[in-house]
Amino acid sequence: FVVGSGNSMAYGAASAITEKPGSLYNPLYICGGHGLGKTHLLSAIGNKLRTKREKLTILFQPADKFIHEFVHAARADKIAQFYSKFHSVDVLLFDDVQYIGNKEQTQEAFFQIFDLLYESRKQIVCTCDSPPQRIKGISERLRSRFSGGLVTDLEVPDLLTKIAIVKKKAEQSCELIDDKVAECIASCSNMNIR
C-alpha cells in the first residue's frame, strides 16, 4: 500500500484503529471506486491487529459470503448459529457493504450484528464503493450507523503516487526500473491501482 494524497486520511485512520480498536473511529467506513485499495487496506488492518494483539478475534467478512451464510442459515433454520458466529468477534472487517443493498432481511441481520458489536465497543470497519448516503437500497438506519464514525475515501491516485506504486511493484519483483519508464507506465494507467 503506497500512501499518497488520495488515500492518506484512510491510511491514517486505519493505522490509528490498530492502536486502539473499538475506541477510535468506530465505525470506520472506507469508500472508493473499484481497484483503489479498499480490500487491501482492510486486510492490512486485520494483519496488523493479529501481530499486535494476538488475543483479539478478528473476522474478515466479505458481504457476498455474509449473504450466502445468512440465506443458508435461514433456510436450514439455523439463524441462532449464524448470529453466534459474531458474538465473540472483537473486530469486524466487512468488505463491499453495497452488496447487501435491496436485501431487507440480510440488512436486518447485519443491523443487529452491527448494534451488538458497537454497543460492546468492538471495532467495525466497512468498505463500500460509495459514501453511505449514496448506497443503493440500504435502509436509513444503516446509513446512519455507517455515518456515525469516520467516513473516509480512497481517491484515484495522482501521478506521483502511481509512479511510487510502479516502483514498489518492480522492487517486489526484484526488478530495477528507470524513473522515466516508471513515469511512462504510471501516466498510461487507468483509473484504478490494478
Side-chain angles (χ1 to χ4, degrees):
F1 194 86
V2 175
V3 180
S5 61
N7 63 16
S8 60
M9 185 174 169
Y11 177 80
S15 295
I17 65 170
T18 64
E19 297 298 321
K20 292 185 177 184
S23 58
L24 293 173
Y25 311 127
N26 197 20
L28 175 59
Y29 183 94
I30 303 169
C31 58
H34 296 285
L36 295 180
K38 297 181 303 292
T39 303
H40 188 86
L41 194 53
L42 202 61
S43 296
I45 292 168
N47 291 335
K48 181 83 170 204
L49 284 169
R50 279 196 206 292
T51 61
K52 291 182 84 158
R53 300 170 181 255
E54 295 173 7
K55 294 185 180 186
L56 287 180
T57 302
I58 302 164
L59 177 61
F60 180 87
Q61 182 73 63
D64 56 347
K65 184 177 177 187
F66 181 86
I67 294 164
H68 174 76
E69 289 175 0
F70 175 72
V71 169
H72 180 71
R75 288 182 180 157
D77 199 26
K78 295 183 178 182
I79 290 294
Q81 289 175 326
F82 173 78
Y83 283 115
S84 70
K85 170 182 176 179
F86 297 92
H87 287 180
S88 63
V89 169
D90 295 307
V91 179
L92 176 61
L93 306 170
F94 197 86
D95 198 21
D96 289 327
V97 76
Q98 71 270 9
Y99 292 132
I100 66 170
N102 296 317
K103 294 175 175 45
E104 290 178 27
Q105 291 179 327
T106 306
Q107 286 182 49
E108 179 60 32
F110 183 72
F111 179 82
Q112 289 179 24
I113 291 163
F114 187 104
D115 272 3
L116 170 78
L117 296 175
Y118 183 79
E119 289 170 10
S120 301
R121 298 186 56 83
K122 306 300 183 179
Q123 182 67 53
I124 303 165
V125 184
C126 297
T127 67
C128 190
D129 62 1
S130 60
Q133 315 83 291
R134 294 201 341 241
I135 310 172
K136 295 177 182 164
I138 292 286
S139 70
E140 192 56 43
R141 64 187 189 161
L142 271 177
R143 287 180 208 279
S144 174
R145 295 298 190 277
F146 295 146
S147 301
L150 177 64
V151 176
T152 185
D153 62 341
L154 298 176
E155 298 173 359
V156 175
D158 59 17
L159 182 60
L160 289 176
T161 306
K162 288 179 183 180
I163 292 169
I165 293 167
V166 169
K167 288 181 150 199
K168 178 71 107 177
K169 293 296 283 181
E171 181 183 302
Q172 289 172 340
S173 300
C174 298
E175 300 288 336
L176 292 176
I177 189 166
D178 182 76
D179 290 347
K180 291 195 184 270
V181 173
E183 183 177 348
C184 180
I185 293 169
S187 62
C188 294
S189 68
N190 60 9
M191 301 295 285
N192 69 44
I193 304 303
R194 291 187 201 120

